[in-house]
Amino acid sequence: MSVNTKAASSPQIRQFTETQQVNQATQFAQFTLLDEVPGLIFGLMTIVYIVSSLWSLV
């Protein structure tokens, strides 16, 4: 039984992280998505409340 493991060395990890840069458009898109999440949650909770209130009247 033989095991072949390849561990990344520190220079390889450093090179990988330095070459990966997130451009400004991607950062803006991620921020905009995170900015809209609370509104989306509030809207869904409101719709569920309205539907359940109307359902209880029936």
Side-chain angles (χ1 to χ4, degrees):
M1 183 170 134
S2 66
V3 177
N4 187 6
T5 59
K6 293 183 179 180
S9 64
S10 178
Q12 289 174 340
I13 295 172
R14 189 177 308 117
Q15 180 185 7
F16 179 75
T17 56
E18 289 173 358
T19 57
Q20 264 192 340
Q21 294 180 355
V22 179
N23 60 10
Q24 189 174 5
T26 305
Q27 287 179 346
F28 179 73
Q30 290 173 348
F31 174 74
T32 304
L33 179 65
L34 289 176
D35 192 35
E36 293 179 2
V37 168
L40 177 66
I41 293 172
F42 180 75
L44 289 174
M45 288 174 60
T46 304
I47 291 172
V48 168
Y49 176 75
I50 292 171
V51 169
S52 66
S53 296
L54 291 174
W55 186 264
S56 67
L57 291 175
V58 175

